Amino acid sequence: MVGKSEGGKGVLSGVRVLDFGRYIAGPYCAALLGDLGAEVIRIEKREGSEDRFVQPIVPEAGPGEGGEGAMFLQMNRNKRGLTLDPMTETGRGIVRRLVATADVVVANLPPSTLKAMGLDYESLTAVKPDIILTTVSAFGHGGPYSERTGFDGVAQSMVGAAYLTGYPEEPVKSYAPWVDFGTASLSAFGTMAALMERAQSGKGQIVEGSLLSTALAYFNFHLIEQDLRQTNRVAIGNRSPYAGPADIVRTKDGWILVQAIGQPLFKRWARLMGEDHWLSDPRFKDDLARGDNGKLLSERTSRWAETRTTEEALSELEKARIPAGPVYTPQQALDDRHIAAMGYLHPLGFPGMPKPAPIMEAPIRMSRTPGTIRERAPVLGEHTETILEDLGYAPDEIAAFRAEGVI
């Protein structure tokens, strides 16, 4: 166990969550709830859902032999695993019995799929009137795109984020799936709010997240500027169009990001560069002007940085209190002394893996009731029999389910 809450229980102790999610948005939402103490049951296909094998650690290996992917190890900590085919009548019966014991159902599936699986709100409330259904879809329910499928990159592309990242000749999406993680986090936030409200009213409700709505929220102020000023901005690489210097520049032995936003930071930067006279230059009179003339500021920062090692440059920038940081490779991030000292990454073993995986804790720390990482992700169907026994099924019934191909 990593970390303990007062009394050894998380704030969501006693809450049962059924996780029908796939990939990131649904599963990470459920994982965050699990970190806070909820009991989370992940329900997946008998042969293993597709997200179990994305970025496999041991290619060609099977479930429980190292064939699980890096994504799965992160998204499914603190969960018990149940295999089930909910598209069969028997499977839907098991789903109904599960729902009767649950507080929250998480599912990132299109509306028609939810209904076919008996996971639409009407079907759920017929079994458990105060159930909370947390749905995550690509485009939300009610519009012309509602039945379309989509991933993080689709949402990044549709709000203008990919267009303004990279260079004019080639839009670039972020390597980090920020839309997925943002949607998961907001869905967990909404689920917590629904649980708080249910404690007062006794009623459940639908919590609806979508990739497109998250991307619109995170990119909103850029859209506000476009609508009100008609700036029609284009991509300019790593430079900021709103301030400067704000760019990635090369050092003797690597790259660093330097960001000066606001007049106080620009003053400190100008003095560090020996360019005090630029403080009265109309080209750099405010953030917008510095953004418009950012190429000049980046070039000056580059000339300064290229004569220093990364360590030397960052040391001088830190003394001047100018925000800056190294551009790390993934391995350098793993080796960073601050990340290690903060204890963010928790090693969790998994069958067949060459060594424990560094799993990031819930990225919010609570002083009195912290979230905890208690268990690794489940091996395929690891807890199927135990969960069904807890639901009241007899051993011969469970054996029949397995023979029938339901579990």
Side-chain angles (χ1 to χ4, degrees):
M1 179 181 289
V2 180
K4 289 184 179 180
S5 302
E6 281 190 1
K9 291 186 176 181
V11 294
L12 293 182
S13 179
V15 172
R16 172 173 275 194
V17 177
L18 306 181
D19 175 17
F20 290 88
R22 298 292 180 266
Y23 297 105
I24 298 175
Y28 191 61
C29 166
L32 291 173
L33 300 175
D35 292 349
L36 292 176
E39 177 201 1
V40 182
I41 299 174
R42 173 186 163 89
I43 298 98
E44 64 180 307
K45 298 175 183 177
R46 293 171 56 246
E47 66 276 16
S49 296
E50 53 275 24
D51 61 328
R52 179 177 280 270
F53 307 107
V54 176
Q55 292 179 261
I57 302 302
V58 184
E60 309 303 326
E65 301 171 351
E68 278 78 4
M71 177 194 298
F72 182 84
L73 298 182
Q74 179 188 8
M75 301 304 143
N76 295 286
R77 77 289 187 104
N78 290 340
K79 299 180 186 179
R80 295 199 292 162
L82 168 73
T83 55
L84 180 66
D85 181 0
M87 302 302 281
T88 64
E89 186 52 45
T90 303
R92 281 191 287 271
I94 295 173
V95 168
R96 287 192 290 272
R97 194 176 293 196
L98 272 170
V99 169
T101 71
D103 299 283
V104 177
V105 171
V106 176
N108 53 329
L109 299 163
S112 59
T113 306
L114 287 175
K115 191 167 185 64
M117 294 172 66
L119 297 176
D120 58 295
Y121 191 59
E122 183 179 0
S123 299
L124 293 174
T125 54
V127 177
K128 186 83 183 301
D130 65 348
I131 197 78
I132 293 167
L133 171 62
T134 299
T135 66
V136 177
S137 62
F139 298 102
H141 301 165
Y145 304 158
S146 291
E147 290 295 332
R148 291 186 186 179
T149 56
F151 281 133
D152 174 284
V154 174
Q156 288 190 39
S157 299
M158 288 183 63
V159 300
Y163 178 81
L164 287 178
T165 303
Y167 296 90
E169 63 273 13
E170 184 177 6
V172 176
K173 76 172 183 66
S174 169
Y175 200 81
W178 54 268
V179 178
D180 275 336
F181 278 101
T183 304
S185 301
L186 291 168
S187 297
F189 163 76
T191 302
M192 295 280 284
L195 285 166
M196 290 177 65
E197 196 280 334
R198 190 182 71 170
Q200 299 173 1
S201 69
K203 299 177 181 179
Q205 60 183 300
I206 301 172
V207 177
E208 182 181 348
S210 77
L211 303 184
L212 185 62
S213 64
T214 297
L216 285 167
Y218 284 24
F219 209 67
N220 189 203
F221 66 87
H222 303 293
L223 299 176
I224 291 171
E225 183 201 44
Q226 173 60 32
D227 193 48
L228 300 185
R229 291 189 61 212
Q230 294 293 298
T231 47
N232 295 316
R233 295 192 184 278
V234 295
I236 53 173
N238 295 304
R239 276 193 291 120
S240 169
Y242 309 106
D247 204 351
I248 290 177
V249 295
R250 187 187 291 274
T251 64
K252 278 184 176 181
D253 58 354
W255 298 85
I256 60 172
L257 173 70
V258 181
Q259 288 183 299
I261 302 172
Q263 191 65 17
L265 286 175
F266 181 66
K267 284 182 179 178
R268 296 205 285 270
W269 174 86
R271 287 166 184 156
L272 178 63
M273 298 294 124
E275 303 288 1
D276 296 58
H277 61 287
W278 279 5
L279 296 174
S280 58
D281 191 321
R283 294 175 300 175
F284 312 121
K285 64 180 180 178
D286 55 27
D287 276 341
L288 275 181
R290 291 190 284 271
D292 291 340
N293 294 283
K295 187 175 181 181
L296 293 172
L297 299 174
S298 291
E299 288 172 350
R300 180 65 186 92
T301 309
S302 293
R303 291 198 304 274
W304 176 85
E306 67 189 9
T307 63
R308 293 160 172 81
T309 65
T310 293
E311 184 176 355
E312 291 167 344
L314 290 176
S315 177
E316 292 186 49
L317 288 161
E318 183 179 353
K319 287 177 183 176
R321 305 301 294 162
I322 297 169
V327 177
Y328 278 159
T329 64
Q331 186 59 54
Q332 288 172 319
L334 289 169
D335 296 337
D336 182 83
R337 61 191 177 94
H338 179 79
I339 292 173
M342 292 299 291
Y344 288 132
L345 300 172
H346 302 283
L348 281 186
F350 191 91
M353 297 295 173
K355 63 178 184 178
I359 306 298
M360 174 61 191
E361 67 181 15
I364 297 174
R365 288 185 169 179
M366 300 167 68
S367 63
R368 194 167 55 81
T369 55
T372 60
I373 294 182
R374 302 174 299 281
E375 301 290 341
R376 60 163 172 78
V379 172
L380 181 62
E382 183 171 355
H383 306 99
T384 296
E385 292 192 7
T386 302
I387 292 169
L388 294 179
E389 287 171 359
D390 290 344
L391 291 175
Y393 289 107
D396 58 337
E397 290 179 289
I398 296 172
F401 294 154
R402 199 171 293 281
E404 192 180 336
V406 173
I407 61 173

